[in-house]
Amino acid sequence: MTEQSGPNIAGNERLCPECGKAVRQAAVVCVHCSVPLTPVTSVAAGASARSGTGLEPNIAAALSYLLTWVTGIIFLVVEKDDDYVRFHAKRSIAFGVAAVAVWIGLSIFFAVMAFLPIIGSFVVGLLATLVWFAFGIGFLITWIFLIVKAYQGQRYDLPVLGDLVKNLG
């Protein structure tokens, strides 16, 4: 299907072939129906389809996960127009903040458990080691998964965090 412009479409927009609503030329997925769009190599004569960061939207979205909440905030502040990059920047912030919150919670839990006389420090140490290992592996796998999804041009919400971010804006 060819994407065409209509009378109410700005110069930097195109119509989604699935739902027919206006989306940015640089959009990788439709913000209305989440259908993947064919990348447009030029918005106007000589201009490239890049986000406000100067990067391709899928690369900017993937990079927003690089340092979780730090790069998420940077891309959210820098990118004003591309909804796809902003979508992933918000999820990156939520993922990073959640990881830090879990880390703090586990630290407090195992610090308290270490002082309980009923459970030996060896048992607490062994349990803590196993839990930290599982947390680290889980974080790494989820982090790589989110980067790959963003690079592939897909919008993906983590079960609890996605709903939280949608409700916050």
Side-chain angles (χ1 to χ4, degrees):
M1 267 185 211
T2 58
E3 296 164 4
Q4 45 186 282
S5 61
N8 296 328
I9 304 298
N12 64 344
E13 293 180 331
R14 61 183 170 156
L15 294 177
C16 171
E18 185 69 27
C19 69
K21 295 185 179 176
V23 294
R24 288 189 32 136
Q25 286 278 3
V28 181
V29 294
C30 177
V31 294
H32 307 287
C33 65
S34 299
V35 168
L37 300 172
T38 306
V40 175
T41 55
S42 64
V43 176
S48 67
R50 297 184 183 270
S51 68
T53 61
L55 300 169
E56 296 295 326
N58 64 328
I59 294 173
L63 286 175
S64 71
Y65 288 102
L66 191 61
L67 298 175
T68 64
W69 63 270
V70 175
T71 49
I73 290 172
I74 292 169
F75 276 93
L76 193 60
V77 169
V78 170
E79 182 56 61
K80 301 291 185 200
D81 298 325
D82 196 315
D83 291 331
Y84 181 71
V85 176
R86 292 181 62 80
F87 173 91
H88 282 288
K90 290 175 186 177
R91 272 59 182 180
S92 173
I93 294 167
F95 177 65
V97 168
V100 169
V102 169
W103 180 79
I104 290 171
L106 287 173
S107 297
I108 293 170
F109 174 75
F110 286 117
V112 169
M113 291 293 290
F115 288 105
L116 293 178
I118 299 169
I119 304 172
S121 61
F122 174 75
V123 174
V124 172
L126 182 62
L127 180 63
T129 302
L130 293 174
V131 170
W132 282 117
F133 181 74
F135 172 72
I137 294 297
F139 174 83
L140 181 66
I141 290 170
T142 306
W143 179 65
I144 291 171
F145 176 79
L146 291 171
I147 291 171
V148 169
K149 286 293 186 186
Y151 183 75
Q152 290 175 341
Q154 299 176 16
R155 290 179 185 236
Y156 183 81
D157 274 332
L158 291 171
V160 175
L161 295 178
D163 295 336
L164 179 67
V165 173
K166 285 178 188 173
N167 293 335
L168 293 177

